[in-house]
């Protein structure tokens, strides 16, 4: 819209046209106020009934809350107005009227449950705190991209319709692809690895991953955003360094550019300081056992249960890595240490939950094929991937970071669905 002024930019003495939603209507008798909201904030519009044109007053005050209006007028200083200025209108246009009954209250005065909120996401995201989550999410992705550039990465996009899975056969969504069985991709894993063997060497991707997880939890989605990194000629420790720098960059970007949004959310937000501690898997299970929080002691080879991660997170109290996992519980593409019991796989944890998995990759063709066989996978089905390991595949390492979990833990959100505009879970396929 030409010549529109954002509410935040309206200065006393200006003649402006603002456009936005009717946030509130306060009729005090001889005088009435409309509060108009746009993406930059809110502004008060004052109607003095006896001194203004009747049609103007009638149009302005008969409008329903949440209707879209366009208001032209003069900006005056007014210390009693919420933003110290108000508009005295000369023209009011109702651009799109809203019904009087709304499925939820965008002013946030009346709470709605998460399901109602997600069913009406457009209205829900008119709330300041919800809008703030998504502005922060945007800033996280911007900062992450910038840090990847600092690290010398090229951004890539890999296919989401694929012939094989990578992260365990049960979590794939099958689809029909011109009469053939295909799947929605669970991870860009194999494709990002193939690209470190290209001239690009060091790559990143931010894109959707699809997981047919049966469980319905506050930290699992069936469609999530994965932030993936992969680089030639580095080992797992250098991959961990890169991971730490990207997560810190996300926090720093939000601290620098999103103070208003953090205020709107009223969260305890701290940029992580110092190096993330690196515990081995063995130390991790010892520390979990020592907390006494689990009914059964963990033994070597167990995956960490959710309560174990929680107990350890409380014990460590900051982001941390778990390294040197048993080879048998890490996927085929992760390289073992010389002691083959131990892998180079690592996880990066927030005290509340896992955020990242990664590791050095097996780049030796023969060992890679053996790894497939050991995990009961048919190497033939992965021929498109394995064959490139015969033509000069450098040593490499990388990781995948859950975008929603990063936002969720950063902002202390209770449910991962709050960090996605239109979440996909067992029940939810629309909107
Ligand atoms: P992994 O399967 O551990 O590793 O996934 C990496 C990270 O992605 C996030 N994540 C999810 N977030 C929400 N809902 C889900 N269903 C979900 N699944 C995963 C988590 C997790 O830590 N290919 C490897 C990565 C690598 O080695 O580069 C992989 O996908 O935050």
């Amino acid at each position: 819209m030409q010549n529109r002024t954002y509410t935040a930019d309206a200065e006393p003495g200006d003649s402006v046209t603002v456009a936005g939603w009717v946030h509130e209507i306060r009729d005090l008798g001889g005088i009435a106020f409309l509060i108009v909201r746009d993406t930059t904030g809110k502004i008060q519009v004052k109607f003095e009934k006896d001194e203004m044109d009747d049609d103007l007053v009638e149009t302005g005050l008969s409008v329903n809350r949440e209707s879209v209006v366009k208001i032209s007028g003069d900006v005056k200083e007014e210390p009693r107005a919420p933003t110290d200025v108000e508009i005295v209108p000369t023209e009011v246009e109702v651009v799109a009227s809203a019904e009087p009954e709304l499925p939820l209250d965008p002013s946030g005065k009346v709470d709605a449950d998460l399901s109602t909120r997600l069913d009406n996401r457009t209205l829900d995201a008119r709330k300041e705190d919800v809008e703030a989550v998504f502005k922060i999410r945007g800033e996280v992705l911007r900062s992450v991209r910038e840090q990847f550039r600092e690290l010398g990465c090229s951004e890539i996009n890999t296919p989401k319709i694929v012939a094989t899975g990578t992260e365990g056969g049960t979590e794939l969504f099958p689809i029909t692809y011109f009469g053939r069985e295909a799947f929605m991709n669970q991870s860009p894993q194999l494709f990002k690895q193939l690209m470190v063997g290209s001239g690009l060497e060091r790559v990143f991707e931010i894109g959707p991953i699809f997981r047919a997880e049966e469980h319905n939890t506050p930290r699992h989605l069936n469609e999530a955003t994965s932030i993936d990194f992969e680089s030639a000629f580095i080992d797992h420790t250098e991959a961990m360094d890169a991971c730490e720098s990207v997560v810190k960059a996300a926090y720093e970007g939000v601290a620098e550019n999103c103070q208003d949004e953090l205020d709107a959310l009223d969260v305890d937000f701290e940029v992580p300081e110092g190096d993330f501690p690196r515990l081995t898997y063995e130390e991790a299970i010892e520390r979990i056992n020592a907390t006494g929080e689990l009914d059964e002691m963990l033994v070597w080879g167990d995956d960490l249960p959710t309560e174990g991660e929680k107990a350890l997170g409380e014990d460590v109290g900051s982001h941390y890595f778990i390294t040197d996992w048993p080879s048998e519980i890490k996927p085929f593409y992760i390289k073992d240490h010389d002691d083959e019991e131990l892998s180079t796989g690592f996880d990066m944890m927030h005290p509340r939950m896992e955020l990242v998995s990664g590791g050095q990759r097996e780049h030796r063709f023969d060992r890679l094929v053996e790894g497939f066989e050991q995990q009961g996978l048919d190497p033939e089905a992965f021929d498109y991937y394995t064959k490139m390991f015969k033509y000069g595949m450098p040593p490499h390492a990388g990781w995948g970071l859950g975008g929603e979990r990063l936002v969720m833990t950063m902002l202390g959100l209770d449910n991962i669905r709050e960090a996605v505009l239109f979440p996909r879970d067992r029940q939810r396929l629309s909107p």
Side-chain angles (χ1 to χ4, degrees):
M1 202 176 87
Q2 269 186 344
N3 302 329
R4 171 188 175 202
T5 302
Y6 281 117
T7 59
D9 299 332
E11 300 281 350
D14 292 350
S15 286
V16 295
T17 298
V18 296
W21 291 264
V22 175
H23 186 70
E24 205 181 319
I25 305 161
R26 273 188 292 142
D27 197 333
L28 309 177
I31 197 166
F33 300 103
L34 280 195
I35 307 293
V36 176
R37 186 187 69 236
D38 65 14
T39 191
T40 65
K42 300 186 200 85
I43 199 158
Q44 172 169 299
V45 182
K46 180 165 76 183
F47 291 86
E48 282 176 302
K49 293 184 191 168
D50 293 342
E51 289 170 35
M52 286 181 176
D53 178 74
D54 287 347
D55 286 347
L56 183 97
V57 173
E58 166 65 19
T59 313
L61 299 183
S62 58
V63 68
N64 289 326
R65 268 191 329 132
E66 295 305 317
S67 298
V68 175
V69 291
K70 193 169 118 186
I71 292 182
S72 303
D74 302 318
V75 185
K76 305 263 186 281
E77 216 173 285
E78 174 48 73
R80 289 167 296 181
T83 58
D84 293 333
V85 294
E86 66 183 11
I87 296 177
V88 177
T90 49
E91 235 181 287
V92 175
E93 184 189 334
V94 180
V95 179
S97 61
E99 290 189 10
E101 294 297 324
L102 300 170
L104 61 78
D105 173 19
S107 78
K109 284 183 191 140
V110 183
D111 276 343
D113 61 36
L114 187 58
S115 179
T116 308
R117 291 178 47 201
L118 295 176
D119 285 343
N120 299 282
R121 206 40 152 161
T122 309
L123 294 184
D124 183 49
R126 289 183 192 170
K127 288 190 279 194
E128 210 182 349
D129 55 346
V130 178
E131 182 191 334
V133 170
F134 293 100
K135 284 190 170 167
I136 290 173
R137 182 183 157 123
E139 175 59 30
V140 163
L141 296 180
R142 193 200 63 74
S143 310
V144 160
R145 279 203 164 84
E146 199 172 289
Q147 182 59 19
F148 278 129
R149 301 229 166 271
E150 285 287 309
L151 293 168
C153 300
S154 299
E155 180 161 9
I156 59 169
N157 303 102
T158 63
K160 305 305 159 206
I161 301 174
V162 293
T164 59
T166 54
E167 313 296 324
T170 56
E171 293 169 10
L172 283 162
F173 281 114
I175 58 166
T176 304
Y177 190 73
F178 300 114
R180 285 152 66 192
E181 185 179 53
F183 305 96
M184 302 301 291
N185 206 7
Q186 295 166 302
S187 162
Q189 183 63 38
L190 305 187
F191 298 97
K192 65 178 179 171
Q193 281 190 263
L194 289 176
M195 284 303 102
V196 303
S198 76
L200 297 175
E201 280 195 32
R202 185 172 271 209
V203 296
F204 79 94
E205 175 164 11
I206 301 177
I209 56 170
F210 303 91
R211 304 215 170 174
E213 320 250 9
E214 290 289 326
H215 40 293
N216 218 346
T217 81
R219 60 205 183 113
H220 286 93
L221 293 163
N222 294 107
E223 178 176 354
T225 307
S226 188
I227 299 171
D228 275 271
F229 167 81
E230 201 70 23
S231 172
F233 303 110
I234 64 165
D235 69 12
H236 56 293
T237 64
E238 292 163 293
M240 286 193 270
D241 294 341
C243 175
E244 191 170 325
S245 80
V246 166
V247 169
K248 284 181 173 164
Y251 274 82
E252 281 158 10
V254 171
E256 209 169 294
N257 300 314
C258 299
Q259 197 50 55
D260 289 349
E261 288 74 19
L262 291 171
D263 291 345
L265 283 161
D266 193 20
V267 286
D268 233 355
F269 177 86
E270 272 175 48
V271 178
E273 277 181 19
D275 295 341
F276 296 175
R278 298 183 181 188
L279 318 182
T280 64
Y281 166 84
E282 197 170 358
E283 286 165 337
I285 57 174
E286 277 168 16
R287 278 176 76 161
I288 293 171
N289 287 338
T291 64
E293 292 288 328
L294 299 194
D295 296 337
E296 258 181 68
M297 290 287 189
L298 295 176
V299 295
W300 176 265
D302 286 344
D303 216 337
L304 304 190
T306 310
E307 320 86 75
E309 284 180 7
K310 200 166 153 260
L312 185 58
E314 277 169 20
D315 194 27
V316 178
S318 66
H319 289 85
Y320 62 102
F321 287 96
I322 305 177
T323 65
D324 302 293
W325 287 73
S327 306
E328 68 202 56
I329 53 173
K330 283 289 172 189
F332 62 84
Y333 50 77
I334 298 280
K335 191 165 184 259
D336 292 340
H337 284 295
D338 292 340
D339 165 2
E340 290 185 8
E341 288 272 285
L342 283 183
S343 80
T344 63
F346 61 83
D347 284 359
M348 201 279 282
M349 315 290 293
H350 177 275
R352 285 176 67 195
M353 71 190 76
E354 177 198 310
L355 297 184
V356 177
S357 290
Q360 189 160 351
R361 317 306 189 181
E362 182 51 77
H363 70 285
R364 297 162 297 183
F365 176 77
D366 296 341
R367 302 294 285 271
L368 186 65
V369 171
E370 270 171 40
F372 275 107
E373 284 160 356
Q374 276 163 13
Q375 296 203 354
L377 292 164
D378 173 14
E380 289 278 303
F382 292 85
D383 182 53
Y384 69 95
Y385 164 73
T386 50
K387 74 179 182 196
M388 289 302 148
F389 288 69
K390 293 193 281 191
Y391 308 128
M393 183 59 76
H396 59 283
W399 43 262
L401 159 65
E404 287 80 15
R405 289 195 184 179
L406 177 61
V407 173
M408 172 188 186
T409 52
M410 174 183 276
L411 301 179
L413 306 176
D414 290 333
N415 194 314
I416 195 164
R417 290 161 184 76
E418 294 181 63
V420 198
L421 284 171
F422 300 105
R424 291 288 169 262
D425 62 25
R426 287 293 302 271
Q427 277 80 38
R428 195 165 280 283
L429 191 52
S430 61

